[in-house]
Amino acid sequence: MKKKLVILAALSIFMTSCKDFLEPDSLSTFDTNYIYSNVDDARKGVNAIYESFGQDAFRSRLSNNMAGNTDIEHQSGWSSSADRYQIWDLSALATNSDLRITWNAAYTAIRNCNVAIEGIEASAALKSSDATISKKMYQMLGEAYTMRAYWYSMLTFYFGDVPNVRLAPKAGNDFFLPKEDRNVILTQVIQDLIDIEGKMSWADQTSYGIEQINREYTLGMISRLALQRGGYYLTPSLAMERKSDYLEYYKIAKEYAEKLITLKDRALPTDFRQVFLNESKFVTPANSDILFEVPFANGNGDVGWNIGITVDGGTTAAHSYGSGSNYMAIPPTYYFSFDTLDIRRDVTCALYKINTSGQAIFVNNSMNIAQGKWSRWFLDKAPGASTAKGTGINWPMLRYSDVLLMLAEAENELNGPTATAQDALRRVRQRAFDSKYWPEKVTNYLTSISGSKQTFFDAIVNERAWEFGGEMIRKYELIRWNLYAKKSQELVATTKEMADAAFAGSGKYSELPDYMYWKRDASGNFKILNPSRKYVGTPDATWTRVSFLASLKPTATTYQDWINKDWEKYYNGPVPGVARYIFPIPAEAITNSQGKLVNDGYQF
């Protein structure tokens, strides 16, 4: 049972709104010196840094909706000019309200972090002779530094160079800052975390465990941020570049991934499905796979509403689980990229939804494969027939398997596919397959991909796809690898090949299912006859046939519109071969900046 760090009403100390960060709200009548003079009140103040997680800017935008399209997660953007569609189509305007609320939420969180950092660092309690008090204050300081680093990571991914606000708002400060080089910002926040992580507490030493920023998450974030800083990024001239010092950051990524593994290693839980089912069951084990997850309170959070297995509900439904959609579908190319023995496929890719009768039925077609890791249907207590948002299901921010794969990637980049790199990848793949398949699927596989740095890197790219599908981090990986445009174009080409094979009955992918057959067995369990291969012949009448890959190509000369249009701007935008993933700074921020900010470059 989770204790739920307060994020719904976290601002018991500070009053906030969605105003632009350049016009910060006034602090409350509480004196910050008093607030941070003792552990209990400091905790209330630090809780404010979590508040932006409870807003739409994060819970339905940044955490998932704004993180597509990729080669493993999919949504259509060209069919509408609405805000979220502009983002999916890489055509968002400066007036886009989703960008505005995300920008404001980020700088609200950063402002609250700055207040907490300055308050704690000025507090005598931080250096208290009472070791318990000092440790708790340092832990809260680490939370603030880590949260600030997270939001700057997101701001630089979405907007490039942005204002670098590192001071709490007070009279005399310059609130009208120009843009700072994104590499300078990332270098600073990485150093912040390096300086503080050793004074933080492990999840099992904190009051809220993995629902609270902890030392293992901060260590993992150092590696993640270092790979971001050492990776590629889009310049205003629409070129993908990375700095000449990038290997220094791969060294940091390796060092801190290894540090976490050395100091706080843990076995990956063997049941991959249970890792995510725990989030729908409100179970939050420490020293397991998830290092930190956003602690949505009951009545907050959109997991199971806009991401996850679709549940058709409402007041006329026969069940009381409410309604939940899935805004980010799984492309069929990703589903068929899995080894058929990989247990992650059927956890990540759901070929069913729940209808109003409370029964599992096949999804509409191959473009509606659901993110299978979460569902409001998994809740132990039905939230109510009329419910939609606010499931309380937590959202994973970083997993231990990610740390292992970051170590494998960094080690390979620095030294090639050494035993260290192979061992880290081995631990992740072993969970993906029943142990009886390890000789072939783990041992022999590792041998086959460890002949060169490039083949091992390609394997890491694939493994991260299979491990983290639906967790909406792929966008950031493709950016730093400079593979966003390439993988998008490959997806479209492969989808067309699959469509051609299904239509013609021959070709490279002709063994894949043009149609699938499904039913519910005598116990009501959803079954698919041929999830991996074309079924030859006609099954008995208990099976229902649905068009799968055959639905991709209506005629001999045409493909479904989404195949041609959904990823087009990701590889054929203003500059062919480059994904213009950077968005314009919101118009409101430009207006309020007193001339310090402007949208220049990127062919806006």
Side-chain angles (χ1 to χ4, degrees), residues 254 407-426 445-460:
K254 177 190 173 185
L407 172 59
E409 179 184 345
E411 170 69 5
N412 181 61
E413 184 67 26
L414 294 166
N415 302 307
T418 64
T420 296
Q422 291 182 50
D423 287 344
L425 176 55
R426 177 180 290 108
Y445 175 80
L446 283 168
T447 299
S448 72
I449 55 94
S450 298
S452 71
K453 179 184 291 188
Q454 184 62 49
T455 57
F456 195 83
F457 170 74
D458 293 340
I460 290 292

PDB file of all heavy atoms in Angstrom, residues 254 407-426 445-460:
ATOM      1  N   LYS A 254      28.782   5.988 -17.336  1.00  0.00           N
ATOM      2  CA  LYS A 254      29.281   4.681 -16.896  1.00  0.00           C
ATOM      3  C   LYS A 254      29.599   4.689 -15.403  1.00  0.00           C
ATOM      4  O   LYS A 254      29.205   3.781 -14.664  1.00  0.00           O
ATOM      5  CB  LYS A 254      30.529   4.302 -17.688  1.00  0.00           C
ATOM      6  CG  LYS A 254      31.148   2.987 -17.225  1.00  0.00           C
ATOM      7  CD  LYS A 254      32.521   2.741 -17.838  1.00  0.00           C
ATOM      8  CE  LYS A 254      33.164   1.507 -17.206  1.00  0.00           C
ATOM      9  NZ  LYS A 254      34.541   1.287 -17.688  1.00  0.00           N
ATOM     10  N   LEU A 407      24.551   1.423 -18.618  1.00  0.00           N
ATOM     11  CA  LEU A 407      25.920   0.970 -18.388  1.00  0.00           C
ATOM     12  C   LEU A 407      26.434   0.227 -19.620  1.00  0.00           C
ATOM     13  O   LEU A 407      27.559   0.471 -20.083  1.00  0.00           O
ATOM     14  CB  LEU A 407      25.989   0.058 -17.163  1.00  0.00           C
ATOM     15  CG  LEU A 407      27.343  -0.638 -16.932  1.00  0.00           C
ATOM     16  CD1 LEU A 407      28.472   0.373 -16.774  1.00  0.00           C
ATOM     17  CD2 LEU A 407      27.272  -1.561 -15.718  1.00  0.00           C
ATOM     18  N   ALA A 408      25.627  -0.664 -20.160  1.00  0.00           N
ATOM     19  CA  ALA A 408      26.041  -1.421 -21.343  1.00  0.00           C
ATOM     20  C   ALA A 408      26.355  -0.485 -22.502  1.00  0.00           C
ATOM     21  O   ALA A 408      27.356  -0.658 -23.213  1.00  0.00           O
ATOM     22  CB  ALA A 408      24.952  -2.413 -21.729  1.00  0.00           C
ATOM     23  N   GLU A 409      25.502   0.513 -22.697  1.00  0.00           N
ATOM     24  CA  GLU A 409      25.704   1.458 -23.798  1.00  0.00           C
ATOM     25  C   GLU A 409      26.957   2.298 -23.597  1.00  0.00           C
ATOM     26  O   GLU A 409      27.764   2.477 -24.527  1.00  0.00           O
ATOM     27  CB  GLU A 409      24.484   2.367 -23.924  1.00  0.00           C
ATOM     28  CG  GLU A 409      24.611   3.406 -25.021  1.00  0.00           C
ATOM     29  CD  GLU A 409      23.437   4.369 -25.066  1.00  0.00           C
ATOM     30  OE1 GLU A 409      22.400   4.090 -24.446  1.00  0.00           O
ATOM     31  OE2 GLU A 409      23.571   5.416 -25.744  1.00  0.00           O
ATOM     32  N   ALA A 410      27.128   2.855 -22.404  1.00  0.00           N
ATOM     33  CA  ALA A 410      28.280   3.718 -22.142  1.00  0.00           C
ATOM     34  C   ALA A 410      29.582   2.932 -22.219  1.00  0.00           C
ATOM     35  O   ALA A 410      30.573   3.400 -22.803  1.00  0.00           O
ATOM     36  CB  ALA A 410      28.127   4.380 -20.774  1.00  0.00           C
ATOM     37  N   GLU A 411      29.608   1.751 -21.643  1.00  0.00           N
ATOM     38  CA  GLU A 411      30.811   0.922 -21.689  1.00  0.00           C
ATOM     39  C   GLU A 411      31.159   0.564 -23.132  1.00  0.00           C
ATOM     40  O   GLU A 411      32.332   0.604 -23.538  1.00  0.00           O
ATOM     41  CB  GLU A 411      30.597  -0.351 -20.860  1.00  0.00           C
ATOM     42  CG  GLU A 411      31.677  -1.415 -21.008  1.00  0.00           C
ATOM     43  CD  GLU A 411      33.023  -1.013 -20.407  1.00  0.00           C
ATOM     44  OE1 GLU A 411      33.119   0.064 -19.776  1.00  0.00           O
ATOM     45  OE2 GLU A 411      33.988  -1.785 -20.580  1.00  0.00           O
ATOM     46  N   ASN A 412      30.156   0.220 -23.926  1.00  0.00           N
ATOM     47  CA  ASN A 412      30.411  -0.118 -25.323  1.00  0.00           C
ATOM     48  C   ASN A 412      30.965   1.068 -26.093  1.00  0.00           C
ATOM     49  O   ASN A 412      31.895   0.921 -26.903  1.00  0.00           O
ATOM     50  CB  ASN A 412      29.107  -0.600 -25.974  1.00  0.00           C
ATOM     51  CG  ASN A 412      29.307  -0.984 -27.436  1.00  0.00           C
ATOM     52  OD1 ASN A 412      30.086  -1.885 -27.744  1.00  0.00           O
ATOM     53  ND2 ASN A 412      28.618  -0.295 -28.327  1.00  0.00           N
ATOM     54  N   GLU A 413      30.416   2.256 -25.844  1.00  0.00           N
ATOM     55  CA  GLU A 413      30.896   3.450 -26.547  1.00  0.00           C
ATOM     56  C   GLU A 413      32.347   3.752 -26.178  1.00  0.00           C
ATOM     57  O   GLU A 413      33.140   4.182 -27.024  1.00  0.00           O
ATOM     58  CB  GLU A 413      30.012   4.647 -26.208  1.00  0.00           C
ATOM     59  CG  GLU A 413      30.359   5.916 -26.964  1.00  0.00           C
ATOM     60  CD  GLU A 413      30.098   5.823 -28.453  1.00  0.00           C
ATOM     61  OE1 GLU A 413      29.231   5.029 -28.866  1.00  0.00           O
ATOM     62  OE2 GLU A 413      30.769   6.554 -29.217  1.00  0.00           O
ATOM     63  N   LEU A 414      32.690   3.495 -24.945  1.00  0.00           N
ATOM     64  CA  LEU A 414      34.041   3.811 -24.469  1.00  0.00           C
ATOM     65  C   LEU A 414      35.059   2.723 -24.790  1.00  0.00           C
ATOM     66  O   LEU A 414      36.193   3.014 -25.177  1.00  0.00           O
ATOM     67  CB  LEU A 414      34.017   4.046 -22.954  1.00  0.00           C
ATOM     68  CG  LEU A 414      33.239   5.270 -22.473  1.00  0.00           C
ATOM     69  CD1 LEU A 414      33.009   5.189 -20.965  1.00  0.00           C
ATOM     70  CD2 LEU A 414      33.986   6.554 -22.833  1.00  0.00           C
ATOM     71  N   ASN A 415      34.635   1.465 -24.628  1.00  0.00           N
ATOM     72  CA  ASN A 415      35.607   0.370 -24.695  1.00  0.00           C
ATOM     73  C   ASN A 415      35.182  -0.791 -25.579  1.00  0.00           C
ATOM     74  O   ASN A 415      35.890  -1.799 -25.650  1.00  0.00           O
ATOM     75  CB  ASN A 415      35.871  -0.169 -23.280  1.00  0.00           C
ATOM     76  CG  ASN A 415      36.372   0.917 -22.341  1.00  0.00           C
ATOM     77  OD1 ASN A 415      37.340   1.609 -22.651  1.00  0.00           O
ATOM     78  ND2 ASN A 415      35.697   1.088 -21.208  1.00  0.00           N
ATOM     79  N   GLY A 416      34.023  -0.677 -26.204  1.00  0.00           N
ATOM     80  CA  GLY A 416      33.521  -1.782 -26.998  1.00  0.00           C
ATOM     81  C   GLY A 416      32.714  -2.754 -26.160  1.00  0.00           C
ATOM     82  O   GLY A 416      32.493  -2.547 -24.958  1.00  0.00           O
ATOM     83  N   PRO A 417      32.250  -3.843 -26.777  1.00  0.00           N
ATOM     84  CA  PRO A 417      31.383  -4.806 -26.077  1.00  0.00           C
ATOM     85  C   PRO A 417      32.162  -5.707 -25.128  1.00  0.00           C
ATOM     86  O   PRO A 417      32.296  -6.912 -25.350  1.00  0.00           O
ATOM     87  CB  PRO A 417      30.747  -5.583 -27.221  1.00  0.00           C
ATOM     88  CG  PRO A 417      31.751  -5.513 -28.329  1.00  0.00           C
ATOM     89  CD  PRO A 417      32.411  -4.171 -28.209  1.00  0.00           C
ATOM     90  N   THR A 418      32.658  -5.123 -24.059  1.00  0.00           N
ATOM     91  CA  THR A 418      33.442  -5.855 -23.068  1.00  0.00           C
ATOM     92  C   THR A 418      32.549  -6.773 -22.242  1.00  0.00           C
ATOM     93  O   THR A 418      31.319  -6.766 -22.372  1.00  0.00           O
ATOM     94  CB  THR A 418      34.147  -4.875 -22.135  1.00  0.00           C
ATOM     95  OG1 THR A 418      33.140  -4.149 -21.411  1.00  0.00           O
ATOM     96  CG2 THR A 418      35.020  -3.893 -22.904  1.00  0.00           C
ATOM     97  N   ALA A 419      33.167  -7.517 -21.353  1.00  0.00           N
ATOM     98  CA  ALA A 419      32.407  -8.382 -20.445  1.00  0.00           C
ATOM     99  C   ALA A 419      31.454  -7.556 -19.591  1.00  0.00           C
ATOM    100  O   ALA A 419      30.334  -7.997 -19.296  1.00  0.00           O
ATOM    101  CB  ALA A 419      33.358  -9.185 -19.569  1.00  0.00           C
ATOM    102  N   THR A 420      31.877  -6.363 -19.190  1.00  0.00           N
ATOM    103  CA  THR A 420      31.006  -5.490 -18.396  1.00  0.00           C
ATOM    104  C   THR A 420      29.751  -5.127 -19.169  1.00  0.00           C
ATOM    105  O   THR A 420      28.634  -5.190 -18.642  1.00  0.00           O
ATOM    106  CB  THR A 420      31.763  -4.206 -17.999  1.00  0.00           C
ATOM    107  OG1 THR A 420      32.857  -4.551 -17.145  1.00  0.00           O
ATOM    108  CG2 THR A 420      30.840  -3.226 -17.282  1.00  0.00           C
ATOM    109  N   ALA A 421      29.922  -4.736 -20.427  1.00  0.00           N
ATOM    110  CA  ALA A 421      28.767  -4.377 -21.255  1.00  0.00           C
ATOM    111  C   ALA A 421      27.872  -5.589 -21.488  1.00  0.00           C
ATOM    112  O   ALA A 421      26.636  -5.501 -21.392  1.00  0.00           O
ATOM    113  CB  ALA A 421      29.244  -3.793 -22.585  1.00  0.00           C
ATOM    114  N   GLN A 422      28.457  -6.709 -21.783  1.00  0.00           N
ATOM    115  CA  GLN A 422      27.677  -7.917 -22.058  1.00  0.00           C
ATOM    116  C   GLN A 422      26.918  -8.386 -20.819  1.00  0.00           C
ATOM    117  O   GLN A 422      25.765  -8.807 -20.914  1.00  0.00           O
ATOM    118  CB  GLN A 422      28.592  -9.020 -22.568  1.00  0.00           C
ATOM    119  CG  GLN A 422      29.163  -8.757 -23.955  1.00  0.00           C
ATOM    120  CD  GLN A 422      30.020  -9.911 -24.440  1.00  0.00           C
ATOM    121  OE1 GLN A 422      29.596 -11.077 -24.404  1.00  0.00           O
ATOM    122  NE2 GLN A 422      31.234  -9.610 -24.881  1.00  0.00           N
ATOM    123  N   ASP A 423      27.553  -8.334 -19.670  1.00  0.00           N
ATOM    124  CA  ASP A 423      26.903  -8.786 -18.441  1.00  0.00           C
ATOM    125  C   ASP A 423      25.687  -7.923 -18.117  1.00  0.00           C
ATOM    126  O   ASP A 423      24.654  -8.435 -17.650  1.00  0.00           O
ATOM    127  CB  ASP A 423      27.892  -8.768 -17.276  1.00  0.00           C
ATOM    128  CG  ASP A 423      28.906  -9.888 -17.355  1.00  0.00           C
ATOM    129  OD1 ASP A 423      28.675 -10.843 -18.126  1.00  0.00           O
ATOM    130  OD2 ASP A 423      29.943  -9.809 -16.655  1.00  0.00           O
ATOM    131  N   ALA A 424      25.798  -6.610 -18.333  1.00  0.00           N
ATOM    132  CA  ALA A 424      24.669  -5.727 -18.059  1.00  0.00           C
ATOM    133  C   ALA A 424      23.498  -6.036 -18.984  1.00  0.00           C
ATOM    134  O   ALA A 424      22.343  -6.109 -18.553  1.00  0.00           O
ATOM    135  CB  ALA A 424      25.105  -4.271 -18.208  1.00  0.00           C
ATOM    136  N   LEU A 425      23.787  -6.243 -20.267  1.00  0.00           N
ATOM    137  CA  LEU A 425      22.729  -6.603 -21.209  1.00  0.00           C
ATOM    138  C   LEU A 425      22.167  -7.983 -20.900  1.00  0.00           C
ATOM    139  O   LEU A 425      20.953  -8.214 -20.997  1.00  0.00           O
ATOM    140  CB  LEU A 425      23.286  -6.556 -22.634  1.00  0.00           C
ATOM    141  CG  LEU A 425      22.344  -6.986 -23.765  1.00  0.00           C
ATOM    142  CD1 LEU A 425      21.049  -6.186 -23.737  1.00  0.00           C
ATOM    143  CD2 LEU A 425      23.043  -6.827 -25.111  1.00  0.00           C
ATOM    144  N   ARG A 426      23.036  -8.901 -20.484  1.00  0.00           N
ATOM    145  CA  ARG A 426      22.597 -10.261 -20.166  1.00  0.00           C
ATOM    146  C   ARG A 426      21.519 -10.250 -19.072  1.00  0.00           C
ATOM    147  O   ARG A 426      20.520 -10.966 -19.177  1.00  0.00           O
ATOM    148  CB  ARG A 426      23.786 -11.102 -19.706  1.00  0.00           C
ATOM    149  CG  ARG A 426      23.382 -12.534 -19.273  1.00  0.00           C
ATOM    150  CD  ARG A 426      24.570 -13.346 -18.820  1.00  0.00           C
ATOM    151  NE  ARG A 426      25.438 -13.665 -19.949  1.00  0.00           N
ATOM    152  CZ  ARG A 426      26.619 -13.129 -20.174  1.00  0.00           C
ATOM    153  NH1 ARG A 426      27.117 -12.230 -19.309  1.00  0.00           N
ATOM    154  NH2 ARG A 426      27.339 -13.470 -21.219  1.00  0.00           N
ATOM    155  N   TYR A 445      22.923 -15.352 -28.327  1.00  0.00           N
ATOM    156  CA  TYR A 445      22.582 -14.024 -28.853  1.00  0.00           C
ATOM    157  C   TYR A 445      23.687 -13.026 -28.527  1.00  0.00           C
ATOM    158  O   TYR A 445      24.121 -12.255 -29.396  1.00  0.00           O
ATOM    159  CB  TYR A 445      21.257 -13.556 -28.266  1.00  0.00           C
ATOM    160  CG  TYR A 445      20.881 -12.144 -28.659  1.00  0.00           C
ATOM    161  CD1 TYR A 445      20.318 -11.871 -29.894  1.00  0.00           C
ATOM    162  CD2 TYR A 445      21.103 -11.073 -27.786  1.00  0.00           C
ATOM    163  CE1 TYR A 445      19.983 -10.567 -30.261  1.00  0.00           C
ATOM    164  CE2 TYR A 445      20.774  -9.771 -28.142  1.00  0.00           C
ATOM    165  CZ  TYR A 445      20.205  -9.527 -29.378  1.00  0.00           C
ATOM    166  OH  TYR A 445      19.885  -8.241 -29.727  1.00  0.00           O
ATOM    167  N   LEU A 446      24.153 -13.008 -27.288  1.00  0.00           N
ATOM    168  CA  LEU A 446      25.213 -12.082 -26.899  1.00  0.00           C
ATOM    169  C   LEU A 446      26.488 -12.323 -27.711  1.00  0.00           C
ATOM    170  O   LEU A 446      27.175 -11.372 -28.113  1.00  0.00           O
ATOM    171  CB  LEU A 446      25.501 -12.205 -25.408  1.00  0.00           C
ATOM    172  CG  LEU A 446      24.494 -11.524 -24.486  1.00  0.00           C
ATOM    173  CD1 LEU A 446      24.721 -11.948 -23.040  1.00  0.00           C
ATOM    174  CD2 LEU A 446      24.586 -10.013 -24.608  1.00  0.00           C
ATOM    175  N   THR A 447      26.787 -13.567 -27.959  1.00  0.00           N
ATOM    176  CA  THR A 447      27.956 -13.874 -28.790  1.00  0.00           C
ATOM    177  C   THR A 447      27.782 -13.303 -30.195  1.00  0.00           C
ATOM    178  O   THR A 447      28.711 -12.722 -30.772  1.00  0.00           O
ATOM    179  CB  THR A 447      28.175 -15.393 -28.870  1.00  0.00           C
ATOM    180  OG1 THR A 447      28.411 -15.905 -27.554  1.00  0.00           O
ATOM    181  CG2 THR A 447      29.364 -15.727 -29.763  1.00  0.00           C
ATOM    182  N   SER A 448      26.579 -13.427 -30.717  1.00  0.00           N
ATOM    183  CA  SER A 448      26.329 -13.003 -32.101  1.00  0.00           C
ATOM    184  C   SER A 448      26.385 -11.500 -32.291  1.00  0.00           C
ATOM    185  O   SER A 448      26.681 -11.032 -33.399  1.00  0.00           O
ATOM    186  CB  SER A 448      24.964 -13.526 -32.563  1.00  0.00           C
ATOM    187  OG  SER A 448      23.897 -12.813 -31.929  1.00  0.00           O
ATOM    188  N   ILE A 449      26.118 -10.725 -31.221  1.00  0.00           N
ATOM    189  CA  ILE A 449      26.074  -9.266 -31.386  1.00  0.00           C
ATOM    190  C   ILE A 449      27.290  -8.570 -30.774  1.00  0.00           C
ATOM    191  O   ILE A 449      27.358  -7.343 -30.773  1.00  0.00           O
ATOM    192  CB  ILE A 449      24.766  -8.674 -30.799  1.00  0.00           C
ATOM    193  CG1 ILE A 449      24.546  -9.074 -29.324  1.00  0.00           C
ATOM    194  CG2 ILE A 449      23.577  -9.111 -31.637  1.00  0.00           C
ATOM    195  CD1 ILE A 449      25.039  -8.125 -28.326  1.00  0.00           C
ATOM    196  N   SER A 450      28.235  -9.333 -30.279  1.00  0.00           N
ATOM    197  CA  SER A 450      29.379  -8.740 -29.579  1.00  0.00           C
ATOM    198  C   SER A 450      30.661  -8.733 -30.406  1.00  0.00           C
ATOM    199  O   SER A 450      31.753  -8.577 -29.872  1.00  0.00           O
ATOM    200  CB  SER A 450      29.620  -9.470 -28.250  1.00  0.00           C
ATOM    201  OG  SER A 450      28.507  -9.332 -27.397  1.00  0.00           O
ATOM    202  N   GLY A 451      30.517  -8.843 -31.715  1.00  0.00           N
ATOM    203  CA  GLY A 451      31.695  -8.851 -32.555  1.00  0.00           C
ATOM    204  C   GLY A 451      32.274  -7.479 -32.821  1.00  0.00           C
ATOM    205  O   GLY A 451      33.437  -7.352 -33.195  1.00  0.00           O
ATOM    206  N   SER A 452      31.461  -6.442 -32.645  1.00  0.00           N
ATOM    207  CA  SER A 452      31.941  -5.082 -32.894  1.00  0.00           C
ATOM    208  C   SER A 452      31.142  -4.093 -32.060  1.00  0.00           C
ATOM    209  O   SER A 452      30.037  -4.399 -31.585  1.00  0.00           O
ATOM    210  CB  SER A 452      31.811  -4.713 -34.374  1.00  0.00           C
ATOM    211  OG  SER A 452      30.447  -4.525 -34.732  1.00  0.00           O
ATOM    212  N   LYS A 453      31.684  -2.907 -31.911  1.00  0.00           N
ATOM    213  CA  LYS A 453      30.987  -1.843 -31.189  1.00  0.00           C
ATOM    214  C   LYS A 453      29.665  -1.514 -31.868  1.00  0.00           C
ATOM    215  O   LYS A 453      28.658  -1.293 -31.195  1.00  0.00           O
ATOM    216  CB  LYS A 453      31.868  -0.601 -31.114  1.00  0.00           C
ATOM    217  CG  LYS A 453      31.238   0.577 -30.405  1.00  0.00           C
ATOM    218  CD  LYS A 453      32.113   1.828 -30.444  1.00  0.00           C
ATOM    219  CE  LYS A 453      33.356   1.680 -29.616  1.00  0.00           C
ATOM    220  NZ  LYS A 453      34.115   2.955 -29.492  1.00  0.00           N
ATOM    221  N   GLN A 454      29.639  -1.486 -33.212  1.00  0.00           N
ATOM    222  CA  GLN A 454      28.422  -1.107 -33.928  1.00  0.00           C
ATOM    223  C   GLN A 454      27.320  -2.143 -33.757  1.00  0.00           C
ATOM    224  O   GLN A 454      26.164  -1.794 -33.505  1.00  0.00           O
ATOM    225  CB  GLN A 454      28.712  -0.914 -35.416  1.00  0.00           C
ATOM    226  CG  GLN A 454      27.512  -0.417 -36.215  1.00  0.00           C
ATOM    227  CD  GLN A 454      27.014   0.940 -35.756  1.00  0.00           C
ATOM    228  OE1 GLN A 454      27.805   1.863 -35.598  1.00  0.00           O
ATOM    229  NE2 GLN A 454      25.714   1.083 -35.529  1.00  0.00           N
ATOM    230  N   THR A 455      27.653  -3.428 -33.904  1.00  0.00           N
ATOM    231  CA  THR A 455      26.609  -4.446 -33.760  1.00  0.00           C
ATOM    232  C   THR A 455      26.083  -4.485 -32.336  1.00  0.00           C
ATOM    233  O   THR A 455      24.885  -4.715 -32.119  1.00  0.00           O
ATOM    234  CB  THR A 455      27.120  -5.835 -34.172  1.00  0.00           C
ATOM    235  OG1 THR A 455      28.279  -6.171 -33.388  1.00  0.00           O
ATOM    236  CG2 THR A 455      27.464  -5.870 -35.644  1.00  0.00           C
ATOM    237  N   PHE A 456      26.939  -4.245 -31.353  1.00  0.00           N
ATOM    238  CA  PHE A 456      26.469  -4.226 -29.967  1.00  0.00           C
ATOM    239  C   PHE A 456      25.601  -2.994 -29.727  1.00  0.00           C
ATOM    240  O   PHE A 456      24.571  -3.086 -29.047  1.00  0.00           O
ATOM    241  CB  PHE A 456      27.652  -4.235 -29.001  1.00  0.00           C
ATOM    242  CG  PHE A 456      27.271  -4.567 -27.589  1.00  0.00           C
ATOM    243  CD1 PHE A 456      27.117  -5.877 -27.178  1.00  0.00           C
ATOM    244  CD2 PHE A 456      27.049  -3.552 -26.654  1.00  0.00           C
ATOM    245  CE1 PHE A 456      26.754  -6.192 -25.867  1.00  0.00           C
ATOM    246  CE2 PHE A 456      26.683  -3.852 -25.346  1.00  0.00           C
ATOM    247  CZ  PHE A 456      26.530  -5.174 -24.950  1.00  0.00           C
ATOM    248  N   PHE A 457      25.984  -1.859 -30.283  1.00  0.00           N
ATOM    249  CA  PHE A 457      25.149  -0.665 -30.157  1.00  0.00           C
ATOM    250  C   PHE A 457      23.783  -0.895 -30.794  1.00  0.00           C
ATOM    251  O   PHE A 457      22.746  -0.542 -30.209  1.00  0.00           O
ATOM    252  CB  PHE A 457      25.819   0.543 -30.816  1.00  0.00           C
ATOM    253  CG  PHE A 457      24.913   1.737 -30.940  1.00  0.00           C
ATOM    254  CD1 PHE A 457      24.584   2.502 -29.826  1.00  0.00           C
ATOM    255  CD2 PHE A 457      24.361   2.079 -32.167  1.00  0.00           C
ATOM    256  CE1 PHE A 457      23.727   3.592 -29.939  1.00  0.00           C
ATOM    257  CE2 PHE A 457      23.503   3.166 -32.290  1.00  0.00           C
ATOM    258  CZ  PHE A 457      23.187   3.925 -31.166  1.00  0.00           C
ATOM    259  N   ASP A 458      23.749  -1.481 -31.967  1.00  0.00           N
ATOM    260  CA  ASP A 458      22.473  -1.767 -32.621  1.00  0.00           C
ATOM    261  C   ASP A 458      21.605  -2.659 -31.735  1.00  0.00           C
ATOM    262  O   ASP A 458      20.373  -2.484 -31.664  1.00  0.00           O
ATOM    263  CB  ASP A 458      22.701  -2.440 -33.973  1.00  0.00           C
ATOM    264  CG  ASP A 458      23.361  -1.520 -34.995  1.00  0.00           C
ATOM    265  OD1 ASP A 458      23.306  -0.284 -34.805  1.00  0.00           O
ATOM    266  OD2 ASP A 458      23.940  -2.039 -35.972  1.00  0.00           O
ATOM    267  N   ALA A 459      22.231  -3.606 -31.058  1.00  0.00           N
ATOM    268  CA  ALA A 459      21.489  -4.487 -30.147  1.00  0.00           C
ATOM    269  C   ALA A 459      20.939  -3.712 -28.955  1.00  0.00           C
ATOM    270  O   ALA A 459      19.826  -3.984 -28.491  1.00  0.00           O
ATOM    271  CB  ALA A 459      22.391  -5.629 -29.674  1.00  0.00           C
ATOM    272  N   ILE A 460      21.705  -2.736 -28.450  1.00  0.00           N
ATOM    273  CA  ILE A 460      21.225  -1.898 -27.354  1.00  0.00           C
ATOM    274  C   ILE A 460      20.008  -1.095 -27.804  1.00  0.00           C
ATOM    275  O   ILE A 460      19.016  -0.966 -27.072  1.00  0.00           O
ATOM    276  CB  ILE A 460      22.338  -0.959 -26.866  1.00  0.00           C
ATOM    277  CG1 ILE A 460      23.438  -1.742 -26.140  1.00  0.00           C
ATOM    278  CG2 ILE A 460      21.771   0.131 -25.949  1.00  0.00           C
ATOM    279  CD1 ILE A 460      23.016  -2.339 -24.826  1.00  0.00           C
TER     280      ILE A 460
END
